[in-house]
């Protein structure tokens, strides 16, 4: 096998050869989520992309992968979220008057502005809910309009964070003005209550934190299942490793690479580098980035002191009141963020692993700190230790120029996305369209490209399966399969076979080249394009074995990429595996709905008064049951294949009925057409079967998801209803216009001006001669009056000719 090359963050530049520690095996640790909130599309980008690479290594290249992932269930964000929610719950239980609640909301409002939107405090007088809007617009209107804080460049994370704070303040104003402080101002109340009462929380009972983390871990796991992400082989949690973490830290201190200060323990970067080790190997340019360092330490650690170097980071944190704690030789405390992964990964995978992965935002300081503390722990006699061979960093998912993030609250949750705009497959295709290590900003064009690719593959599967089902020997399409095609040999191929071999080569080259999934999707699309050309050019003599081979190969690749949630390795077969097939139902149970349609249809046809037909007589005499039994005895369990005998019988009888219809009486013809339409548009569509009627050819049986067929049917019905409604409205409008026309024409021209108060005298024909004030009618006006009079005279004559003296 050609050597796989992979982008390794430890060696910037192009992909490098991937050589695992042990041949045929891969040890892999992936940084899991910090479980304090719902997972969003940014998490989906990370974990789906990771899953794609894992599946490729396992099911394409054949590696035995040991995949370990952690849940961070001790962290500053978790502590803050859980503690604040507890404090808010307690606050809501107090016996406040309405006035006191309102004052609480206003105090929280001012405190939030002071901490997060200080420009609101500028100007005369105190900030309040009445002057908030004008001050907001004056201070930050340019950012809300799409600008940047500096006035230069594109909006990014800073602007997204600012908008989040403004959104929280605006929601609070609405809640305060509506006397709904406890229902709409949570985001400003939470930090305010925390600042007042955080030290009053009894954290000896850690259920305040574990209740949150266990729930969110379950939510994350459910989301990953819904996205068809394989579960880890091993799951670790920080709370289950605290004693081991303390021991790990003790050894680093003993080796001189860490020190205790004021009850906390910090990693000594200077000592580490003095011993000949390298720090910040992943992101050397970020080692002095204070903002990233502070983010890595956590918002609850800002007041911890005693660091020797500005970049030194916490291995163990002294717990303050209101924080969870565990005993250690340095007193009660809790693990730092970075140390957890070093301990858990090393415990499961040992002192060295093949792969370590996570989102690109973890590269510094999290992964750089992991590397440093792990190498400090394992290094011997001053020699550098290699803890990770390959670091894989998944690109960001961006929205409006800033990364999608829980902390920025600019995210769509995975649940919401799957319930509204995505399926698990369509989301995965979007990620496959980009390189795993590149940033992705989902655009309408990208969504369209993904949808078109999926439709292309769907239609190809449907068409090939229908062509194979139409073949004379039905069992050949089921049992002959790839085994009879020799598509895996190295002999020169021609036409479609050559196209397949070229596609297979392109996919292999792409996957070897650091898992280049965009190139894989292009290769699949191109071979389908060529196959479709062949199908259209050879309607009567298509190369079915070659088309079957292409369809089976594509089925295998999309299965490997995780695009079919119902499929299982080795991904044999054609097309997407239906839920019914995945359920492995008893054959008789699986085929029962199709059999019922067959029995009902044949019974209804027998009741029709039809002219003699040898074809229908033969169909009556042939039962699909023996063919079904043969399929079952051959081991077939795919409901679609098992249903074909009954569907063919229905399709053939329906084709013959439609052929006979013109020769029957009008009543029988109407019954035939109604029955034919019903069985196609309702009976079979409801089961996910579409009969594609073709001119001078038998109808083609196509398996299409029932939901799609029903949606198409309802859409067609809605359009027809709308067309009928518009037609009826137009008819009514015409009738109304016609009635108004004749109602107007009924008036004799001599009478048309008599009731007009603008005039005082009229001539013998009823045309005005004097205005109301006695003056002559102006010539220009008189000219127009005569023209209108002539028109009315003509219209009245038509009226009399049509109706006489009758009333319209």
């Amino acid at each position: 096998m050609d050597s796989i090359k992979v982008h390794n963050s430890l060696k910037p530049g192009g992909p490098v050869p991937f050589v695992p520690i042990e041949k045929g095996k891969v040890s892999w640790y992936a940084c899991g989520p910090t479980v304090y909130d719902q997972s969003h599309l940014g998490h989906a980008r990370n974990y789906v992309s990771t899953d794609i690479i894992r599946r490729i290594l396992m099911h394409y290249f054949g590696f035995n992968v040991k995949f370990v992932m952690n849940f961070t269930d001790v962290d500053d964000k978790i502590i803050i979220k859980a503690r604040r929610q507890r404090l808010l719950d307690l606050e809501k239980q107090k016996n406040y008057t309405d006035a006191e609640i309102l004052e609480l909301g206003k105090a929280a409002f001012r405190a939030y502005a002071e901490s997060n939107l200080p420009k609101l405090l500028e100007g005369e007088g105190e900030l309040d809910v009445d002057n908030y809007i004008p001050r907001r617009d004056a201070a930050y209107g340019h950012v809300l309009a799409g600008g940047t804080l500096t006035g230069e460049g594109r909006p990014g994370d800073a602007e997204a964070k600012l908008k989040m704070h403004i959104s929280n303040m605006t929601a609070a104003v609405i809640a305060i003005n509506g006397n709904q402080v406890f229902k709409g101002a949570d985001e400003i109340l939470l930090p305010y209550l925390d600042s007042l009462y955080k030290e009053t929380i009894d954290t000896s009972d850690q259920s305040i934190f574990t209740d949150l983390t266990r729930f969110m871990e379950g939510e994350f796991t459910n989301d990953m299942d819904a996205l068809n992400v394989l579960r880890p082989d091993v799951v670790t949690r920080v709370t289950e490793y605290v004693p081991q973490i303390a021991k790990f830290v003790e050894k680093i201190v003993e080796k001189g690479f860490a020190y205790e200060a004021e009850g906390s323990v910090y990693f000594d970067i200077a000592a580490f580098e003095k011993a000949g080790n390298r720090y910040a190997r992943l992101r050397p340019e970020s080692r002095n980035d204070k903002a990233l360092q502070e983010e890595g330490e956590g918002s609850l650690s800002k007041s911890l002191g005693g660091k020797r170097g500005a970049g030194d980071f916490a291995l163990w944190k002294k717990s303050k009141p209101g924080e969870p704690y565990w005993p250690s030789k340095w007193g009660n405390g809790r693990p730092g963020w970075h140390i957890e992964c070093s301990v858990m990964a090393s415990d499961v995978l040992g002192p060295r692993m093949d792969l370590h992965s996570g989102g690109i935002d973890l590269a510094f300081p999290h992964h750089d700190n992991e590397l440093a503390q792990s190498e400090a722990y394992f290094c011997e006699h001053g020699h550098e230790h290699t803890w990770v061979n390959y670091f894989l960093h998944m690109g960001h998912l961006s929205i409006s120029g800033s990364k999608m993030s829980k902390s920025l609250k600019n995210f769509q949750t995975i649940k919401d996305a799957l319930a509204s705009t995505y399926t698990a497959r369509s989301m995965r295709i979007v990620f496959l369209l980009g390189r795993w290590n590149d940033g992705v900003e989902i655009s309408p064009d990208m969504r369209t490209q993904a949808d078109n690719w999926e439709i292309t593959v769907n239609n190809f599967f449907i068409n090939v399966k229908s062509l194979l089902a139409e073949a004379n020997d039905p069992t050949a399409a089921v049992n002959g399969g790839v085994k009879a095609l020799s598509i895996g040999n190295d002999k020169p191929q021609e036409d479609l076979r050559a196209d397949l071999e070229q596609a297979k080569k392109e996919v292999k080259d792409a996957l070897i080249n650091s898992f280049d999934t965009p190139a894989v999707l292009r290769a699949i699309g191109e071979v389908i394009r060529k196959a479709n050309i062949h199908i259209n050019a050879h309607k009567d003599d298509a190369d079915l074995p070659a088309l079957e081979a292409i369809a089976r190969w594509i089925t295998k690749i999309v299965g490997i990429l995780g695009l079919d949630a119902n499929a299982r390795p080795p991904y044999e077969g054609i097309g997407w595996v239906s839920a019914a097939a995945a359920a492995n139902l008893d054959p008789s149970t699986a085929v029962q709905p199709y059999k019922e349609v067959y029995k009902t249809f044949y019974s209804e046809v027998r009741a029709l008064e039809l002219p003699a037909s040898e074809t229908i007589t033969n169909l009556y005499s042939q039962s699909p049951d023996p063919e079904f039994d043969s399929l079952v005895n051959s081991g077939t369990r795919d409901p679609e294949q098992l249903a074909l005998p009954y569907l063919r019988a229905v399709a053939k009888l329906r084709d013959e009925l439609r052929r006979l219809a013109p020769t029957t009486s009008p009543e029988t013809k109407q019954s035939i057409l109604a029955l034919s339409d019903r069985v196609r548009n309702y009976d079979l569509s409801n089961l996910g079967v579409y009969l594609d009627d073709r001119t001078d050819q038998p109808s083609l049986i196509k398996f299409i998801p029932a939901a799609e067929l029903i949606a198409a049917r309802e859409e067609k019905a809605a359009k027809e209803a709308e067309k009928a409604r518009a037609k009826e409205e137009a008819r009514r409008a015409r009738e109304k216009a016609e009635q108004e026309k004749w109602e107007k024409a009924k008036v004799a021209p001599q009478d048309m001006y008599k009731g007009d108060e603008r005039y005082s005298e009229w001539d013998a024909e009823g045309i005005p001669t004097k205005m109301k004030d006695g003056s002559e009618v102006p010539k220009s006006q008189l000219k127009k009056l005569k023209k209108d009079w002539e028109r009315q005279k003509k219209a009245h004559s038509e009226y009399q000719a049509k109706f006489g003296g009758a009333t319209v």
Side-chain angles (χ1 to χ4, degrees), residues 76 80 84 115-116 161 198 262 264 266 290-291 293-307 314 317-318 320 323 334:
D76 288 29
I80 291 171
R84 288 179 175 180
S115 297
N116 303 294
K161 190 171 186 178
K198 61 187 175 186
E262 301 178 11
S264 296
Y266 298 98
K290 187 176 180 180
Q293 290 170 345
E294 288 181 352
E295 184 179 351
E297 290 295 85
S299 60
L300 296 178
S301 304
K302 293 177 181 178
S303 61
L304 296 178
K307 286 186 180 182
K317 298 179 179 181
K318 178 183 179 180
K320 301 188 294 295
E323 298 177 5
R334 56 189 176 91

Side-chain angles (χ1 to χ4, degrees), residues 258-286:
Y259 56 90
E260 184 272 338
E262 301 178 11
S264 296
V265 180
Y266 298 98
F267 188 81
D268 193 333
I269 294 175
F272 180 68
E273 292 187 317
K274 187 175 181 180
N277 301 293
R278 290 175 295 162
Y279 176 68
R281 288 194 287 136
L282 292 169
R283 290 290 185 272
E285 71 279 5
S286 298

Side-chain angles (χ1 to χ4, degrees), residues 306-363:
K307 286 186 180 182
R308 295 175 184 173
D312 291 353
F313 55 90
L315 302 178
W316 184 265
K317 298 179 179 181
K318 178 183 179 180
S319 289
K320 301 188 294 295
E323 298 177 5
Y325 58 86
W326 288 263
S328 76
K329 66 180 296 182
W330 312 286
N332 289 338
R334 56 189 176 91
W337 176 31
H338 319 295
I339 194 68
E340 64 183 59
C341 291
S342 294
V343 177
M344 294 186 290
S346 300
D347 179 66
V348 180
L349 299 177
R352 190 176 184 183
M353 70 192 76
D354 292 303
L355 298 175
H356 192 331
S357 66
I360 186 62
D361 54 320
L362 297 182

